[in-house]
């Protein structure tokens, strides 16, 4: 009887152990799968390309006859001053002033949006998302040049090197009838030509480069370096109001000419 | 008779242990399967054959001959890239020839051309992958000592890429460099450098930056 009782006890323990193992075998992978799903979801959210996502939820124009939308993007800002010249001229201040002046010049015929109007920090994605959300017709990012060669000077215009086959490039193609790179080039040529005409300063040319801020934009876009803050002569000019005004006039004329030929 | 058919204690213990061992095995299989599924792998297939380990650059083999190589530096006005032809040692392995060319690029130009790589920057390592991607790992001063503008960053990137992808560096191992992936101190570049360009992926050569190709359509007027 004692043996039989111990047998029952062992048998019960075995049953409990088996039951526990079964529960663990079922629950642990399920919990792991749930954790993995949660982790994957978090990664997908973080890595979701913001510009494309923003493009999908773009606000439609209020009416077909509304003014063309121009987004001006003064680079840097906030804790990121950009490059600073030997005399202390800061890129973030100069480009903001040029952008504000350009906006004023375009205010009569266009809806002009600035990605920043004060000294605040923005990510590249926030700048591009703003333009996509506003369904802009043109995006111009304004920066200054800086070089280890102090003689480097003039205005450089850059277009994205990857807009031929991206979703953003296809969106440009569908809205303009041209591929993204062609439209970017056309805008770059208009801006370079107008700046040169208005300031007679050196235009360094139009180059392609994988610029972060131009990625994912769904409208023709360029990045302009409006002068070299590392060149002592040009830094002094950029510190003055008249030089910034002529740069703004060149930019405004280039944008106006591009949109006029686009219509 | 019925009592005789009752399993003995030792038999019951054996059965319990056997059942537990089977369950533990089953549990392990379930865990492994779910882990493989989570990693996106098919548990029914054999493990993928891992790519050959990257080939680290060690000591440069002794050169038996030399070859004309073009190093791309910034033009005097830092607008574009201009070629500076050099006769460099030539060995069998493409990756070794690339290292020689990059070291010459880091040493700087001997003409009026400009270097866009700070003199404090060194190369930590270089690996050539089977897909033609050359991974180049620069030291940290690249991030801290470089000028941060689109023009300067692009000149740096394309001076390296256009130099290292030229066919003159191809060794008798027939390995070809098609693109260059940048690392800084062993890590992919962040937006601290380059501040304006996206170097998350490999970069392919771009003749748009070369002065000989009329790149950039400079306007001297």
């Amino acid at each position: 009887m004692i043996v039989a009782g111990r047998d029952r006890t062992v048998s019960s323990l075995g049953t409990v152990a088996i039951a526990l193992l079964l529960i663990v075998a079922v629950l642990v992978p399920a919990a792991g799968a749930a954790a993995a799903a949660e982790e994957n979801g978090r990664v997908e959210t973080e890595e979701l390309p913001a510009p494309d996502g923003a493009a999908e939820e773009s606000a439609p124009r209020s009416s077909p006859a509304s003014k063309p939308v121009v987004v001006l993007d003064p680079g840097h800002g906030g804790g990121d001053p950009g490059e600073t010249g030997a005399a202390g001229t800061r890129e973030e201040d100069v480009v903001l002033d040029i952008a504000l002046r350009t906006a004023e010049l375009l205010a009569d015929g266009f809806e002009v949006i600035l990605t920043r109007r004060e000294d605040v920090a923005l990510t590249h994605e926030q700048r591009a998302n703003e333009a996509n959300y506003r369904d802009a017709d043109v995006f111009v990012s304004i920066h200054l040049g800086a070089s280890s060669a102090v003689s480097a000077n003039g205005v450089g215009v850059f277009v994205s090197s990857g807009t031929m086959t991206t979703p953003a490039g296809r969106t440009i193609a569908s809205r303009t009838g041209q591929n993204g790179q062609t439209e970017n080039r056309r805008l770059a040529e208009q801006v370079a030509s107008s700046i040169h005409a208005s300031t007679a300063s050196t235009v360094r040319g139009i180059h392609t480069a994988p610029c972060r801020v131009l990625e994912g934009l769904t409208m023709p876009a360029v990045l302009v370096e409006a002068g070299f803050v590392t060149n002592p002569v040009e830094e002094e000019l950029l510190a003055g109001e008249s030089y910034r005004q002529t740069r703004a006039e060149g930019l405004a004329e280039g944008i106006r000419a591009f949109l006029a030929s686009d219509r | 008779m019925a009592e005789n058919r009752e399993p003995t204690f030792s038999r019951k213990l054996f059965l319990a242990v056997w059942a537990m061992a089977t369950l533990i095995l089953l549990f392990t299989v379930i865990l492994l399967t779910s882990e493989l599924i989570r990693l996106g792998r098919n548990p029914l297939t054999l493990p993928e054959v891992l790519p050959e380990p990257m080939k680290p650059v060690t000591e440069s083999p002794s050169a038996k001959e030399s070859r004309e190589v073009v190093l791309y530096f910034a033009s005097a006005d830092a607008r574009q890239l201009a070629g500076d032809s050099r006769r460099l040692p030539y060995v069998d392995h493409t990756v070794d020839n690339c290292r020689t060319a990059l070291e010459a690029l880091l040493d700087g130009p001997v003409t009026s051309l400009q270097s866009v790589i700070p003199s404090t920057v060194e190369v930590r390592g270089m690996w050539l992958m089977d897909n033609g991607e050359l991974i180049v790992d620069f030291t940290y001063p690249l991030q801290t000592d470089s000028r941060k503008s689109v023009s300067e960053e692009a000149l740096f990137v394309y001076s390296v890429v256009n130099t290292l992808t030229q066919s003159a560096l191809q060794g008798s191992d027939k390995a070809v460099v098609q693109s260059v992936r940048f690392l800084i101190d062993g890590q992919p570049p962040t937006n601290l450098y380059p501040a304006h360009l996206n170097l998350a992926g490999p970069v392919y050569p771009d003749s748009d930056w070369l002065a000989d190709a009329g790149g950039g359509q400079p306007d001297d007027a």
Side-chain angles (χ1 to χ4, degrees):
Chain A
M1 291 298 287
I2 295 170
V3 171
R6 203 164 57 187
D7 271 359
R8 273 197 297 276
T9 307
V10 169
S11 182
S12 304
L13 280 174
T15 310
V16 169
I18 289 166
L20 276 174
L21 274 172
L22 272 174
I23 290 166
V24 168
V26 171
L27 288 183
V28 170
E38 189 185 339
E39 186 185 333
N40 288 342
R42 189 165 61 246
V43 170
E44 278 166 17
T45 306
E46 283 171 1
E47 292 184 352
L48 194 67
D52 285 349
E56 284 168 16
E57 56 181 26
S58 288
R61 300 295 177 86
S62 51
S63 73
S66 60
K67 293 176 180 177
V69 177
V70 175
V71 171
L72 300 175
D73 170 44
H76 306 282
D80 169 21
E83 285 283 352
T84 302
T89 307
R90 297 196 311 176
E91 182 180 1
E92 64 170 345
D93 301 330
V94 175
V95 296
L96 177 58
D97 190 45
I98 292 174
L100 288 167
R101 289 170 188 274
T102 309
E104 198 176 322
L105 291 166
L106 291 171
D108 55 349
F110 304 92
E111 185 183 341
V112 185
I113 294 157
L114 278 85
T115 54
R116 69 178 179 97
R117 288 184 169 272
E118 52 196 35
D119 188 18
V120 293
L122 293 170
T123 65
H124 294 298
E125 290 76 17
Q126 284 173 315
R127 296 167 195 267
N129 285 349
E130 175 74 11
N132 285 340
Y133 180 73
R134 301 292 190 134
D135 198 16
D137 292 280
V138 165
F139 178 93
V140 177
S141 188
I142 306 167
H143 289 254
L144 294 183
S147 174
S148 46
V150 289
S151 61
N153 70 94
V155 176
V157 185
F158 301 88
V159 295
S160 172
S161 52
T163 44
M164 293 285 282
T165 55
T166 59
R170 287 196 290 274
T171 306
I172 299 175
S174 67
R175 69 188 290 171
T176 63
Q178 301 286 337
N179 76 46
Q181 199 64 292
T182 303
E183 285 299 278
N184 289 340
R185 277 267 168 190
R186 203 164 63 78
L187 172 61
E189 282 162 11
Q190 291 282 10
V191 167
S193 158
S194 297
I195 289 177
H196 178 62
S198 67
T199 63
S201 62
T202 302
V203 173
R204 299 165 60 83
I206 299 162
H207 289 288
T208 54
C211 301
R212 291 179 195 269
V213 76
L214 301 182
E215 289 178 346
L217 287 168
T218 55
M219 72 292 304
V222 293
L223 185 153
V224 177
E225 284 186 344
F228 273 69
V229 73
T230 44
N231 179 305
V233 176
E234 203 156 32
E235 183 192 0
E236 193 178 337
L237 290 168
L238 286 164
E241 287 193 6
S242 63
Y243 200 70
R244 296 180 190 180
Q245 183 65 23
T246 50
R247 283 286 188 268
E249 285 167 6
L251 274 174
E253 187 49 40
I255 293 166
R256 198 177 281 122
F258 172 77
L259 288 171
S261 62
D262 196 32
R263 302 221 130 196
Chain B
M1 291 293 286
E3 265 188 38
N4 288 343
R5 284 198 298 270
E6 187 84 12
T8 61
F9 169 72
S10 57
R11 185 168 173 77
K12 279 184 176 177
L13 187 63
F14 169 76
L15 282 172
V17 169
W18 178 80
M20 283 176 73
T22 307
L23 279 169
I24 287 168
L25 186 66
L26 185 68
F27 174 66
T28 309
V29 168
I30 291 170
L31 269 184
L32 280 173
T33 308
S34 64
E35 183 65 15
L36 284 170
I37 291 169
R38 191 177 76 82
L39 293 172
R41 294 184 187 167
N42 185 350
L44 299 177
T45 57
L46 289 169
E48 288 173 23
V49 177
L50 291 173
E52 278 188 26
M54 292 183 292
K55 191 177 180 182
V57 172
T58 52
E59 285 302 306
S60 184
S62 56
K64 293 170 187 163
E65 52 181 302
S66 62
R67 202 176 257 200
E68 197 86 359
V69 173
V70 180
L71 306 177
Y72 289 100
F73 295 102
S75 56
D77 55 7
R79 280 191 196 187
Q80 300 168 96
L81 295 170
D84 177 4
S85 290
R86 301 268 185 92
R87 197 140 200 104
L88 296 179
Y90 175 79
V91 293
D92 291 341
H93 294 294
T94 302
V95 69
D96 294 323
N97 294 328
C98 287
R99 187 183 66 155
T100 306
L102 188 54
E103 281 173 354
L105 197 65
L106 289 171
D107 286 343
V110 291
T111 59
S112 61
L113 300 176
Q114 308 267 348
S115 176
V116 283
I117 309 176
S119 57
T120 48
V121 174
E122 294 173 7
V123 175
R124 295 177 77 231
M126 186 184 282
W127 300 268
L128 180 55
M129 308 299 285
D130 289 343
N131 63 0
E133 188 177 298
L134 183 71
I135 301 173
V136 184
D137 186 8
F138 290 95
T139 53
Y140 190 65
L142 179 65
Q143 182 171 307
T144 52
D145 298 355
S146 298
R147 282 290 183 183
K148 295 172 182 70
S149 70
V150 177
S151 9
E152 188 88 340
E153 290 169 7
L155 283 169
F156 159 70
V157 167
Y158 290 107
S159 78
V160 171
V161 175
N162 284 323
T163 296
L164 297 181
T165 52
Q166 63 188 293
S167 56
L169 297 176
Q170 187 179 11
S172 57
D173 61 358
K174 299 295 179 195
V176 177
V177 178
Q178 292 177 331
S179 62
V180 177
R181 185 184 289 271
F182 291 80
L183 297 179
I184 299 174
D185 217 19
Q187 301 294 319
T190 65
N191 58 7
L192 294 175
Y193 187 84
H196 302 84
L197 304 188
N198 186 348
L199 292 187
V203 182
Y204 290 81
D206 188 349
S207 60
D208 181 56
W209 285 90
L210 305 184
D212 294 340
Q217 307 150 15
D219 184 354
D220 286 315

